Amino acid sequence: MTGFGRQDGDMTSIDFPEPTLVPVNGVELEVFESGRENAGKPIVLCHGWPEHAFSWRHQMSALAAAGYHVIAPNQRGYGRSSRPAEVTDYDLAHLSGDLVALLDHYGYEDATFVGHDWGAFVVWGLTLLHPDRVNKVINLSLPYQERGEKPWIESMEAALGGDFYFVHFNRQPGVADAVFDDNAFQFLRNLYRKNEPPAEPRPGMALIDLARAESPRGEPVMSDSELAVLVSAFETSGFTGGINWYRNLDRNWHLLAEADPIVHQPTLMIYGDRDLVSRAENLAEFVPDVEVVSLDCGHWIQQERPEETNRIITKWLADQDRPSRRTG
């Protein structure tokens, strides 16, 4: 594995594969691979927002060692992957279509898909829209989202108001993007924290305030050199492509109207005990073959608890492959 390098004064060496640009579904995705020698046993890692395939750096070698061909794309809007101009080019049909086309590129009928945060939302959606292309599901942080009677942004606006960041991204397009672009280092440094002390809620758009805050709270999730990789990527790509995923939530609600809402594949759901993302009380209703695990961490699960995450995922995958499991 060749690395992104390291900054002077930081002793943390960063090993990560060199990327390949892969044409899929009318765009190009920047794809990182490990374990190519394990062709025939694919596992696809889907990052969240504002993340990067680099967020899976701790998992790639562990999964390759467990016998998997590990495929970690920067999804559209991120890194050096394509960033279409049209907002609607970031809906679930396009995002899941990219992943299906990625399987086609490698010649795979199906794969195990792993998602964190927004990546989990895409994996849930992919599984509903293209169930024959997904053999197992592993999602971190974001549980299955019940579709409900009203579109998601409409529901959030009624319950949480116009300053809630999902709503703000939709109702005030471009405003948050510009603040994040102007403060990329500060925003990402302040966002990627753990063990943050409790704080009283404040009026205003919390993520814009976070991007402008001069001092971070809590402890850093990653080293300075790891953070530098993320900052460099977003200074190049900007934040609009990733935020456009949020701007399609109501469109996604309509796209899923005719889909079977039940996830039939074996599923592993990993929560962080201190994550602010709400758990799903009725998860088993929609995901009947689910195993739920919780770790003592916040939102950035696979980066905060990499060894535990790797152990849980590889053990669960091994359990799925046992003959007794396959024959029921």
Side-chain angles (χ1 to χ4, degrees):
M1 296 170 79
T2 51
F4 274 109
R6 61 186 180 196
Q7 290 189 317
D8 292 340
D10 193 315
M11 297 305 292
T12 303
S13 179
I14 302 172
D15 289 325
F16 202 65
E18 291 288 349
T20 304
L21 288 177
V22 177
V24 295
N25 197 28
V27 296
E28 281 190 327
L29 297 185
E30 183 182 24
V31 179
F32 302 83
E33 293 176 72
S34 189
R36 292 177 187 173
E37 67 276 9
N38 303 317
K41 201 173 179 183
I43 189 166
V44 183
L45 311 181
C46 301
H47 64 78
W49 180 87
E51 290 188 298
H52 187 281
F54 185 67
S55 65
W56 300 108
R57 63 196 174 280
H58 301 296
Q59 283 67 53
M60 293 190 71
S61 58
L63 289 168
Y68 288 86
H69 177 195
V70 188
I71 303 166
N74 269 330
Q75 297 180 82
R76 63 168 67 196
Y78 289 85
R80 292 169 55 213
S81 294
S82 298
R83 300 186 295 276
E86 292 295 324
V87 172
T88 52
D89 284 345
Y90 296 85
D91 67 14
L92 199 50
H94 287 86
L95 295 172
S96 64
D98 292 350
L99 297 176
V100 167
L102 196 60
L103 293 188
D104 292 342
H105 170 79
Y106 289 105
Y108 292 132
E109 288 295 320
D110 58 24
T112 297
F113 283 85
V114 185
H116 171 252
D117 182 82
W118 251 107
F121 184 90
V122 173
V123 170
W124 292 124
L126 168 72
T127 307
L128 299 184
L129 295 173
H130 303 278
D132 57 325
R133 308 307 297 267
V134 182
N135 58 50
K136 289 181 284 292
V137 172
I138 301 173
N139 276 330
L140 287 70
S141 179
L142 186 79
Y144 180 97
Q145 300 297 294
E146 184 178 354
R147 187 169 171 272
E149 296 181 0
K150 292 183 179 180
W152 282 305
I153 295 299
E154 183 180 329
S155 299
M156 289 178 188
E157 188 168 26
L160 301 167
D163 282 333
F164 183 60
Y165 68 104
F166 278 76
V167 181
H168 189 285
F169 287 160
N170 278 271
R171 303 299 187 235
Q172 300 188 50
V175 175
D177 317 32
V179 175
F180 301 156
D181 287 347
D182 288 344
N183 299 276
F185 167 75
Q186 203 161 271
F187 176 51
L188 295 168
R189 179 202 62 186
N190 294 349
L191 184 66
Y192 279 89
R193 312 297 289 185
K194 59 184 178 180
N195 302 326
E196 296 181 47
E200 290 293 324
R202 296 173 51 188
M205 205 284 214
L207 290 181
I208 289 179
D209 291 344
L210 188 70
R212 289 173 170 160
E214 294 183 4
S215 301
R217 303 172 73 251
E219 304 164 22
V221 167
M222 60 186 82
S223 70
D224 288 347
S225 54
E226 290 171 321
L227 178 62
V229 172
L230 205 62
V231 172
S232 176
F234 279 98
E235 285 179 342
T236 300
S237 69
F239 287 85
T240 297
I243 294 174
N244 281 341
W245 292 29
Y246 289 87
R247 296 182 175 128
N248 281 282
L249 262 180
D250 284 354
R251 184 178 173 85
N252 294 338
W253 184 87
H254 290 286
L255 284 169
L256 291 170
E258 302 302 320
D260 175 2
I262 305 302
V263 172
H264 299 280
Q265 290 83 345
T267 300
L268 173 64
M269 181 68 223
I270 304 177
Y271 290 116
D273 287 335
R274 287 176 271 171
D275 194 347
L276 296 179
V277 177
S278 299
R279 300 187 181 208
E281 296 180 2
N282 60 347
L283 182 63
E285 180 181 335
F286 293 94
V287 192
D289 191 4
V290 66
E291 180 175 334
V292 177
V293 177
S294 296
L295 294 178
D296 180 21
C297 63
H299 180 66
W300 313 107
I301 296 170
Q302 75 271 30
Q303 299 184 75
E304 292 185 46
R305 290 281 185 264
E307 292 82 9
E308 291 171 82
T309 301
N310 293 349
R311 184 170 63 250
I312 289 165
I313 289 176
T314 54
K315 180 182 183 301
W316 184 82
L317 287 169
D319 288 345
Q320 301 306 306
D321 288 340
R322 288 178 181 166
S324 59
R325 170 75 195 196
R326 291 201 302 270
T327 57

